[in-house]
Amino acid sequence: MGTPTLDLAVGATSATLDTGLKQLHAGHRDLLRGDRDEIVSGVRYSLGWDLREPPRVSLGAPDPARWDKTWKQAGFSALPSSGVVQLVMPKLWLRWAPEGGTPRELSCSVAVPARLLALDGALRVELLGVWMEAPPPDSNDRTVLKRVLVPRLLKRGGDLLKRLKLPAQQLLGQSLDLTPVLVDVTDRYLVVATASRPDHSPVSAVDWPTDKEVFCLVSPALVTKFVDAAAQQEAAKPDPVVNEKKEVRWVLEAKLEAYFRGLKDLRVDAQDPTRLTAGVEIAWEGGVTLFPIAPGVGCALVEATQNM
């Protein structure tokens, strides 16, 4: 398989992603429930939904039998060949009622399949449809769900999946202008990979590591940039990295300070990118005071040494 030129790639297993969704479910329940009124075929309906269990991410496309029963978005009669994940809501509670009519309730597993891709330098979520484990048998109820509730679920599912992206950020005082160029979905990982500039050439699959829950791969060029930025921050500090004082009572005082001024010829080992070599620039300052007692005290020899 080809190896694209990437600066940074972050991969996470579904279990790791599910941990984040559990935290979202525990701390931000308002994002996962809703109530609204809608008019369908001249009838006002009240609708409500609640994710009573945390959602989770299933890597890979739904099987053909499930896809056949999925209420599909327009334009997606067939599953995309890559980048497909499913946002699974194990216990979605639904309620709908026509104005003045009897409320209906349903609690079942729901899945929102979606395709994740990097396009024009940004991450995009293409929602493919909604699958319900046990849709209501009544055709009018199914119409209400399809026309009103399903679009809401698709939007909510898309909002949750967009939280999986890598935000642009400052690191070590440097602006990382990284452009997403690849989203790869394997049977173990969801991987988002970036580059420092757009690359319109096709990117093929990569043999990612398989023994980590989360991995982060950084190119030698980006490692060099990180380390150099950290060195520049350290060099800007006014405090010495060495500050030693020695005293021989009544005889001398010695002081030695060392200030870090940066790195030169920073290189990343071509065979082992965790090893770096560089020269270290250090500024030294020091001095020795002989017979360190207060001026005016003692013999003329002592007083003369205060100005040495």
Side-chain angles (χ1 to χ4, degrees):
M1 288 185 287
T3 302
T5 301
L6 304 172
D7 282 331
L8 177 67
V10 177
T13 62
S14 58
T16 302
L17 299 172
D18 291 348
T19 298
L21 290 174
K22 286 179 181 178
Q23 294 173 350
L24 179 68
H25 185 268
H28 302 280
R29 289 299 309 280
D30 289 344
L31 296 174
L32 307 176
R33 55 165 64 105
D35 289 284
R36 63 180 298 115
D37 291 339
E38 289 280 353
I39 296 177
V40 182
S41 301
V43 179
R44 180 177 295 278
Y45 281 83
S46 62
L47 303 108
W49 64 91
D50 183 14
L51 274 69
R52 292 184 170 176
E53 291 184 5
R56 59 183 178 83
V57 173
S58 176
L59 300 178
D63 60 50
R66 175 173 289 193
W67 177 244
D68 286 343
K69 296 180 180 180
T70 295
W71 293 338
K72 301 173 182 63
Q73 284 274 68
F76 289 102
S77 58
L79 278 167
S81 60
S82 62
V84 179
V85 301
Q86 299 175 75
L87 182 70
V88 180
M89 308 172 198
K91 192 174 182 180
L92 177 65
W93 173 82
L94 308 171
R95 174 188 51 77
W96 66 101
E99 189 173 25
T102 302
R104 297 164 175 81
E105 291 188 8
L106 176 66
S107 182
C108 67
S109 176
V110 174
V112 178
R115 182 188 182 193
L116 308 180
L117 68 162
L119 188 64
D120 296 329
L123 292 178
R124 181 174 296 183
V125 179
E126 291 184 341
L127 300 169
L128 307 179
V130 172
W131 171 87
M132 298 187 70
E133 180 183 30
D138 185 86
S139 60
N140 290 331
D141 290 342
R142 289 198 300 272
T143 298
V144 171
L145 292 182
K146 285 184 179 181
R147 292 179 55 181
V148 180
L149 195 54
V150 166
R152 304 291 179 271
L153 291 177
L154 287 171
K155 182 180 185 305
R156 192 57 47 90
D159 291 343
L160 292 175
L161 289 171
K162 287 176 182 176
R163 293 172 179 265
L164 302 176
K165 70 179 182 180
L166 291 177
Q169 53 187 290
Q170 294 278 331
L171 184 61
L172 297 173
Q174 299 292 311
S175 176
L176 296 183
D177 186 16
L178 297 174
T179 301
V181 296
L182 171 68
V183 177
D184 194 12
V185 178
T186 72
D187 58 355
R188 178 163 173 77
Y189 290 115
L190 169 61
V191 184
V192 178
T194 67
S196 57
R197 62 185 60 86
D199 184 358
H200 300 293
S201 61
V203 179
S204 58
V206 181
D207 290 323
W208 306 113
T210 58
D211 59 343
K212 306 292 184 182
E213 289 298 308
V214 178
F215 69 79
C216 180
L217 303 179
V218 186
S219 69
L222 197 56
V223 169
T224 301
K225 183 176 181 178
F226 288 167
V227 174
D228 190 56
Q232 291 178 27
Q233 282 192 338
E234 191 66 29
K237 295 180 180 179
D239 300 325
V241 293
V242 175
N243 189 356
E244 294 289 339
K245 290 183 179 180
K246 297 294 183 181
E247 178 182 352
V248 178
R249 189 178 178 87
W250 310 115
V251 177
L252 64 83
E253 284 182 351
K255 180 180 180 181
L256 180 63
E257 294 178 347
Y259 295 86
F260 177 76
R261 291 293 181 253
L263 300 175
K264 59 181 179 180
D265 299 325
L266 177 61
R267 297 179 182 180
V268 179
D269 191 305
Q271 303 301 319
D272 182 1
T274 64
R275 298 183 60 187
L276 291 88
T277 58
V280 180
E281 296 181 339
I282 299 291
W284 297 93
E285 295 182 10
V288 177
T289 301
L290 297 177
F291 307 112
I293 60 177
V297 178
C299 66
L301 176 61
V302 171
E303 293 178 5
T305 61
Q306 304 308 311
N307 295 319
M308 291 180 64

